[in-house]
Amino acid sequence: MPIQHIDLSGRASDYPEALSSSDHADAPLWRVLLYPHRSMNAKGFVWVIALLAGGLAIPLFGVFGTAVLWGVLPFLVLTVSALWFFIMKNYKDGQIVEELSLWQDEITLVRVDPKGQRRDWCANPYWVRVAEHDEPVKHYLTLKGGEREVELGAFLSADERLDLKRDLEDRLRALSA
């Protein structure tokens, strides 16, 4: 699932893979990692390319040794190359990760884009509001606190964003009580 809840109940310190580097000596009360869903792993990618290349090669058996082969072959190679390129581009574009951490006195959101660009946001959880919009996607979430409003989990499905919103609002409500 694209929302991974980090269990910090047995630890007093942060887990080593944390994206955020807070000044807190104690572990956060709640932490989640958000990342896009992957419907095809590397093994599936190999199978798709192999089946496509094999399927496109079958008609070539009838034209081996003729000039027609050299007329058709570039288009078949171009088709397999284009599929390879676009699947790899999609995979690279999906290498986004967001880490949302909540302490008693601070909430942080760290986003690492596919190019490795890191963006950090932090605010006092007492003042943070979770807003839901219907554009650019259904149940689009933003966090507003301090002077900035940031998007949260735009790559998640609509149901996952709703679950995240409810969970986060429950956590923020519990802190303010």
Side-chain angles (χ1 to χ4, degrees), residues 4-25:
Q4 178 184 357
H5 295 270
I6 307 298
D7 180 21
L8 299 168
S9 59
R11 298 185 184 188
S13 63
D14 249 353
Y15 71 105
E17 297 85 16
L19 294 175
S20 62
S21 55
S22 178
D23 295 333
H24 289 275

Side-chain angles (χ1 to χ4, degrees), residues 2-175:
I3 300 175
Q4 178 184 357
H5 295 270
I6 307 298
D7 180 21
L8 299 168
S9 59
R11 298 185 184 188
S13 63
D14 249 353
Y15 71 105
E17 297 85 16
L19 294 175
S20 62
S21 55
S22 178
D23 295 333
H24 289 275
D26 56 337
L29 303 172
W30 184 66
R31 174 171 279 157
V32 292
L33 288 177
L34 310 172
Y35 49 89
H37 175 73
R38 292 282 177 213
S39 59
M40 183 169 53
N41 59 16
K43 189 176 180 180
F45 170 72
V46 170
W47 273 104
V48 166
I49 294 296
L51 287 173
L52 177 70
L56 291 176
I58 291 172
L60 293 180
F61 290 133
V63 293
F64 272 132
T66 66
V68 174
L69 174 69
W70 299 110
V72 174
L73 190 60
F75 294 104
L76 299 180
V77 170
L78 182 66
T79 301
V80 173
S81 300
L83 182 65
W84 180 292
F85 173 78
F86 287 115
I87 288 177
M88 293 306 287
K89 182 176 181 346
N90 183 13
Y91 185 76
K92 179 73 174 160
D93 289 346
Q95 290 180 329
I96 297 171
V97 65
E98 291 181 358
E99 179 186 83
L100 183 63
S101 303
L102 181 64
W103 284 270
Q104 191 74 29
D105 61 341
E106 184 180 40
I107 184 170
T108 63
L109 178 66
V110 178
R111 178 187 171 111
V112 179
D113 291 330
K115 294 181 180 179
Q117 180 184 7
R118 178 189 169 114
R119 288 186 259 162
D120 293 58
W121 174 85
C122 66
N124 185 328
Y126 181 78
W127 299 108
V128 170
R129 298 294 171 250
V130 183
E132 181 181 339
H133 311 278
D134 283 329
E135 290 183 4
V137 293
K138 188 175 179 184
H139 304 301
Y140 181 73
L141 296 180
T142 59
L143 295 177
K144 183 159 178 77
E147 52 290 329
R148 269 178 39 196
E149 185 171 11
V150 294
E151 72 176 7
L152 178 64
F155 46 80
L156 298 174
S157 71
D159 292 336
E160 290 167 341
R161 285 192 295 272
L162 280 177
D163 290 342
L164 178 63
K165 179 184 182 228
R166 277 187 234 117
D167 201 8
L168 180 57
E169 286 177 336
D170 290 346
R171 302 282 177 158
L172 291 172
R173 208 173 301 115
L175 276 180

